[in-house]
C-alpha cells in the first residue's frame, strides 16, 4: 500500500535560470548522468578488462509545455540573447506536486540553451500547441532535502 503522499504524481516543473524565470513545464526529459569508462587490458590477465571511470557526461534536458505568455516573455528572449553573447548561468528545476507542493529540486551548473521548438501549426488537426526547450549543462546537484 502506498503511504507517501508527497510522491511526484501529477507534477509540473518550475524552471529558473539566473535572472530568467521560465515558468512551468509539463514534461522534463534527460535529467541524468553517465559515468564514462575507459577500458584497459592487462597483459597476461585474459580473464577480465579493467574499467576506469574517467569523467561524467550529462545529457541535454528537454522541457515541454503548452504554449503560453511565458513563451515570448521568457523562453524565446533567453534563447535569442544567447546568440549575442552566450553566458553560462546557473539554473534550477523544481519539481512540484499537483497541489503545488515542492517535491524535489535540482540545481544546474553552466546552463545554456541548445534548441527551442515552437508549435506545429496545422488547422487540420486541432490540438494543444506545445513548445519544447532543450538546454545543455555541466552537472547538477539535488537540493531540497527538507522536502
Amino acid at each position: 500500500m502506498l503511504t507517501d503522499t508527497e510522491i511526484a504524481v501529477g507534477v509540473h516543473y518550475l524552471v529558473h535560470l539566473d535572472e530568467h524565470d521560465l515558468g512551468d513545464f509539463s514534461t522534463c526529459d534527460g535529467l541524468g548522468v553517465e559515468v564514462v569508462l575507459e577500458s584497459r587490458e592487462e597483459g597476461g590477465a585474459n580473464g577480465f578488462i579493467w574499467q576506469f571511470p574517467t569523467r561524467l557526461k550529462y545529457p541535454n534536458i528537454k522541457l515541454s509545455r503548452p504554449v503560453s505568455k511565458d513563451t515570448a516573455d521568457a523562453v524565446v528572449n533567453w534563447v535569442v540573447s544567447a546568440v549575442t553573447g552566450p553566458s553560462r548561468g546557473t539554473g534550477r528545476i523544481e519539481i512540484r506536486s499537483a497541489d503545488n507542493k515542492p517535491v524535489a529540486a535540482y540545481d544546474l551548473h553552466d546552463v545554456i540553451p541548445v534548441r527551442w521548438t515552437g508549435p506545429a501549426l496545422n488547422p487540420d488537426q486541432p490540438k494543444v500547441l506545445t513548445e519544447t526547450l532543450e538546454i545543455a549543462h555541466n552537472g547538477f546537484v539535488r537540493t531540497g532535502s527538507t522536502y
Side-chain angles (χ1 to χ4, degrees), residues 37 54 130:
L37 299 176
T54 59
T130 60

Side-chain angles (χ1 to χ4, degrees), residues 19-90:
E19 69 276 359
H20 303 284
D21 183 10
L22 301 184
D24 290 319
F25 286 83
S26 55
T27 65
C28 176
D29 294 320
L31 189 60
V33 62
E34 175 186 349
V35 177
V36 178
L37 299 176
E38 183 176 311
S39 300
R40 296 287 179 172
E41 297 178 16
E42 183 178 359
N46 297 326
F48 66 95
I49 297 174
W50 292 98
Q51 299 284 334
F52 297 104
T54 59
R55 66 182 181 277
L56 299 176
K57 185 175 169 183
Y58 301 95
N60 290 347
I61 297 173
K62 292 183 181 178
L63 302 156
S64 297
R65 68 175 170 198
V67 173
S68 69
K69 66 176 181 64
D70 293 331
T71 298
D73 294 344
V75 176
V76 174
N77 289 338
W78 177 62
V79 172
V80 170
S81 71
V83 175
T84 59
S87 63
R88 293 180 176 265
T90 58

Side-chain angles (χ1 to χ4, degrees), residues 111-129:
V111 179
I112 192 164
V114 174
R115 178 179 298 117
W116 175 81
T117 306
L121 305 173
N122 187 347
D124 295 337
Q125 299 175 355
K127 60 182 178 179
V128 175
L129 301 177

